Amino acid sequence: MALHRHSNSTLEDTVLSVGICNFTCPVRIPEKNGGLQQTVAAITLTAKEPASQVESSISTITGLLYSHLPDIHSGLFPGLLKSVQSELAASEVCLEMRFPYFIEKAAPMSATPSLMEYQCAFTAGSAGPENTEDGAEPLLTVVVPVTTLCPCSKEISEAGAHNQRAAITLMVRAKALIWLEDLIALAEACGSSEVYALLKRPDEKYLTEWAYSHPMFVEDVARKAAQLAAAHPDITWFSVAVESFESIHAHSAFALVDSETMAEMA
Amino acid sequence: MALHRHSNSTLEDTVLSVGICNFTCPVRIPEKNGGLQQTVAAITLTAKEPASQVESSISTITGLLYSHLPDIHSGLFPGLLKSVQSELAASEVCLEMRFPYFIEKAAPMSATPSLMEYQCAFTAGSAGPENTEDGAEPLLTVVVPVTTLCPCSKEISEAGAHNQRAAITLMVRAKALIWLEDLIALAEACGSSEVYALLKRPDEKYLTEWAYSHPMFVEDVARKAAQLAAAHPDITWFSVAVESFESIHAHSAFALVDSETMAEMA
Amino acid sequence: MALHRHSNSTLEDTVLSVGICNFTCPVRIPEKNGGLQQTVAAITLTAKEPASQVESSISTITGLLYSHLPDIHSGLFPGLLKSVQSELAASEVCLEMRFPYFIEKAAPMSATPSLMEYQCAFTAGSAGPENTEDGAEPLLTVVVPVTTLCPCSKEISEAGAHNQRAAITLMVRAKALIWLEDLIALAEACGSSEVYALLKRPDEKYLTEWAYSHPMFVEDVARKAAQLAAAHPDITWFSVAVESFESIHAHSAFALVDSETMAEMA
Amino acid sequence: MALHRHSNSTLEDTVLSVGICNFTCPVRIPEKNGGLQQTVAAITLTAKEPASQVESSISTITGLLYSHLPDIHSGLFPGLLKSVQSELAASEVCLEMRFPYFIEKAAPMSATPSLMEYQCAFTAGSAGPENTEDGAEPLLTVVVPVTTLCPCSKEISEAGAHNQRAAITLMVRAKALIWLEDLIALAEACGSSEVYALLKRPDEKYLTEWAYSHPMFVEDVARKAAQLAAAHPDITWFSVAVESFESIHAHSAFALVDSETMAEMA
């Protein structure tokens, strides 16, 4: 542990990450269908620097970010990160955008269209959970609601089975562009059934019966999502967290797996 | 509208409510079984005064509240409100405590005990949603989780029915003391089934089958809670709000009813 | 109290409000400058009905709301409310949209432009805090950050004065259209100084000195906003709540005033 | 990257973390003065296992946790973790408790006592951010409010300086027991001034003048806390995050440093 050697060093030697967080601005996100979706993002922008240089970094960071308004979109990530890095002589920079993303989805039987909201995030730079030298593609995060229906409850009961909404948080690092639409579809396939914003009666019948015939524990959902992510040719790192808002309890059950723990089993 | 007559009056004539909010302290809540439960409350304390008098009201309020630490409990309400009112010559005062309250509950078949948490609040004084001249009993709020199982989904499906956690928020004003335990029990009886912290397999089987045989829409839960509250001899005003965290949707369904809207139907 | 007469009535007689909440969709808000701002709203839509009629109200409500996607904007309020009311034979309907709204603002000295975010809400229908027969204009809510600088701290200290961010929540009902831009400007004028997203050094000097020469207690801010709202020719009802995130405390100070408490002083 | 080798493996081979989260129970925390503080904690309990074994892990975990109620306190950590690990044959277990902790604090001049609340957490087991073979001491987290007063604003302005509340989040791993009281005191010494729950006028004067004569940027606070943590003989790893709720902006400035980035500067 090299730490204590440094306790006598001057404060000015310390390497710090400094930045801004908790502010919101309109952003545009490229859609798979070629459109550009207008939404609203909470942005965090950080630079890692020797303490002796940070003096006016925060206002420089804010100024660089604002110089791109009102046209902030994910295509700006490489240029914005580069300009922050060069203006500040920062060793690392990190930009995160969290935003709701909307996808029109057809109900399973009636094909009634409705709009689903998914919380998503782009995280770019060299300070993410998995370091990449070139930082080509940002870390993507999608939070996808699904239904889980308890296999145990189904097995032991004469009729019915408790079920509930669950949220899959899938984070991936990829070597090529992956559309949010495709990542969300990957996760939506992993529950007992999908979730929709608007359903007609035939849809509700279909989903109820489908969920009842596809019981899954929260860990089954996590494994399935992990297996799909592991099989994806462009995904180089991932984590899956599933939280099930248990309908018979007041607390949640959850399961976590990532590409490194999967690798442990080899 | 008398409002515009006042636009020329001096600022000092205005009547304001001033106070403190968002602070947390340990409190003790009397239990039905005779004990005193130690928990943690977020407190809001407000006084209504002519603007010309508010100068040091906020520090006076804080000081009076702190003079009761570390023994803040609901028994202090009348005295604390009275001392705030007299020290500040306030026309109205209001004290609210929001706290988690814990009740041990036995599982329905195995009788396994576990501890359930309920968000509760006491609101006392003359500024509540329902004014009482003497402010004898505080307004009580309990938030109680239950399961709702969809009658429509059950009816149209060959097997299963979607179900989910829901939260009943019951607020009551009473002419005599009502224990939190009794108010929570009243609400827990109103869903498709109750919710527990710890269940064995026979309990899970029992609850799954019970919920399946007691399907309820969110409005059915609200009506049932409203009817029980209306039939209670000591409750003089109530409101019921039920939010169901739909397992087939990403949004909530809810229903609201209060003693005044019930009275409309006469 | 007519309540207990009804405790024997059947559940079907009860009048309930039912609806959906906690869902999010893209919306467009008309700007004062003639544009249409694309943002994201959390929507609540409620209908008040006899319990015997609510059976499929929630899916009808959802369907009517989605029939306007992806073009939900405030201009739809009258038509959407009317269609919900007529399809459901509802006695009252209420629609609320909460959304972040963005306004470009120039720094006070350098005129550097930046984008400020304000939480806003439109609430329309007959179930708002102030009933209007025709429901012509929606209830408007704006949450506006300002700085408060403590007069007491300034007066007693040889140098400096504690100051902090505060949030003014201004709700108004008006007899004619009021732009969000104008309502926000009204509130921004009420603190010790305004808040900006991006400032240069001359701006920071100007704001620091301005705040120091305009000390205000949280109740002063509330009174000033109340007086401006009371003097506005089109505002028929308002409430002002100011919460100051005290820099020397871990809790907040707040002050409340509305057009009715102002009227008390007459 | 070994990942893709595993994409053909059966789901049962995957190693998962499963557990419960978001539930709350009363807990007791040992105080430095010898007492035992009763408070309320949100608990997360996780076990890492081969997927083929997780079947009933979640109910086993819940049962083991509840077997210690109502006497959950930090002294149970080693035994509880050991029993979870042995009953589940888990490769790793992790237990986290988040709770408000209260300390009586005397105002700086008048010595008026008041109670401050600090959000704290204990995280024990082998799945924390820094792995330790024996897991002797839990990871400690304290969130400590302080005031920051801007050096730039002070320097350029003729009078006053903008200041605001900030939150220091200090996480430490230690080789011996460190009291929460001592960790909180370490952090409280790092801002422009400390924060109190109740102050008299002489205290307010003292704190205003003290903050004005101790201006600090958010990064200065982070460096000072890091240097104190690095100099502590028992701390073997730490991270410091400081978020300043800027009074002249609507967003936050923040700074981060940990024992590893400090080590980079060598």
Side-chain angles (χ1 to χ4, degrees), chain B residues 147-163:
Chain B
T147 303
T148 53
L149 185 137
C150 178
C152 171
S153 168
K154 178 184 173 180
E155 185 188 314
I156 63 181
S157 304
E158 286 179 25
H162 79 80
N163 53 76

Side-chain angles (χ1 to χ4, degrees), chain B residues 48-205:
Chain B
K48 196 168 171 182
E49 291 182 290
S52 53
Q53 299 174 23
V54 298
E55 165 90 34
S56 59
S57 294
I58 289 176
S59 59
T60 305
I61 286 172
T62 314
L64 286 169
L65 181 61
Y66 274 97
S67 68
H68 290 289
L69 281 175
D71 271 327
I72 289 181
H73 55 89
S74 49
L76 294 176
F77 271 56
L80 178 53
L81 287 168
K82 204 165 180 178
S83 61
V84 172
Q85 196 149 15
S86 66
E87 286 233 14
L88 297 180
S91 61
E92 288 181 18
V93 289
C94 184
L95 173 58
E96 184 189 79
M97 292 170 49
R98 303 203 153 265
F99 53 90
Y101 189 73
F102 298 90
I103 300 178
E104 193 177 277
K105 207 174 148 178
M109 296 300 285
S110 69
T112 309
S114 66
L115 212 54
M116 282 288 292
E117 180 218 359
Y118 305 90
Q119 287 295 323
C120 298
F122 292 148
T123 313
S126 47
E130 276 295 280
N131 224 320
T132 53
E133 268 84 41
D134 55 354
E137 292 295 325
L139 180 73
L140 302 182
T141 304
V142 295
V143 183
V144 177
V146 296
T147 303
T148 53
L149 185 137
C150 178
C152 171
S153 168
K154 178 184 173 180
E155 185 188 314
I156 63 181
S157 304
E158 286 179 25
H162 79 80
N163 53 76
Q164 52 268 318
R165 203 190 300 162
I168 303 174
T169 301
L170 174 61
M171 299 176 69
V172 308
R173 192 171 291 282
K175 60 188 177 196
L177 182 147
I178 298 184
W179 292 105
L180 292 176
E181 286 80 353
D182 293 335
L183 206 57
I184 288 165
L186 184 155
E188 285 195 318
C190 297
S192 292
S193 76
E194 297 191 26
V195 162
Y196 295 82
L198 183 57
L199 297 167
K200 307 281 186 195
R201 287 197 158 216
D203 305 312
E204 188 169 356
K205 172 180 165 60

Side-chain angles (χ1 to χ4, degrees), chain A residues 66-86:
Chain A
Y66 275 96
S67 68
H68 290 290
L69 281 176
D71 272 328
I72 290 182
H73 56 88
S74 49
L76 293 177
F77 270 57
L80 178 53
L81 287 168
K82 204 167 181 177
S83 61
V84 172
Q85 196 149 16
S86 67

Side-chain angles (χ1 to χ4, degrees), chain A residues 145-184:
Chain A
V146 296
T147 302
T148 53
L149 184 138
C150 178
C152 171
S153 169
K154 177 184 175 181
E155 186 189 313
I156 63 181
S157 303
E158 285 178 27
H162 79 81
N163 53 75
Q164 52 270 317
R165 204 190 299 161
I168 304 175
T169 301
L170 174 61
M171 298 176 69
V172 307
R173 193 170 291 283
K175 60 189 177 195
L177 181 147
I178 298 184
W179 292 105
L180 291 176
E181 285 82 352
D182 293 335
L183 206 55
I184 288 165

Side-chain angles (χ1 to χ4, degrees), chain A residues 19-99:
Chain A
I20 51 175
C21 63
N22 281 344
F23 83 87
T24 310
C25 64
V27 295
R28 292 180 300 140
I29 308 294
E31 298 175 328
K32 189 184 180 184
N33 66 12
L36 208 49
Q37 181 170 135
Q38 185 85 38
T39 183
V40 166
I43 290 185
T44 300
L45 181 50
T46 324
K48 196 168 171 182
E49 291 183 290
S52 53
Q53 299 175 25
V54 297
E55 167 89 33
S56 59
S57 294
I58 289 175
S59 58
T60 306
I61 285 172
T62 314
L64 285 168
L65 181 61
Y66 275 96
S67 68
H68 290 290
L69 281 176
D71 272 328
I72 290 182
H73 56 88
S74 49
L76 293 177
F77 270 57
L80 178 53
L81 287 168
K82 204 167 181 177
S83 61
V84 172
Q85 196 149 16
S86 67
E87 286 233 14
L88 297 180
S91 60
E92 287 180 19
V93 289
C94 184
L95 173 58
E96 184 188 78
M97 291 169 51
R98 301 201 154 267
F99 53 90

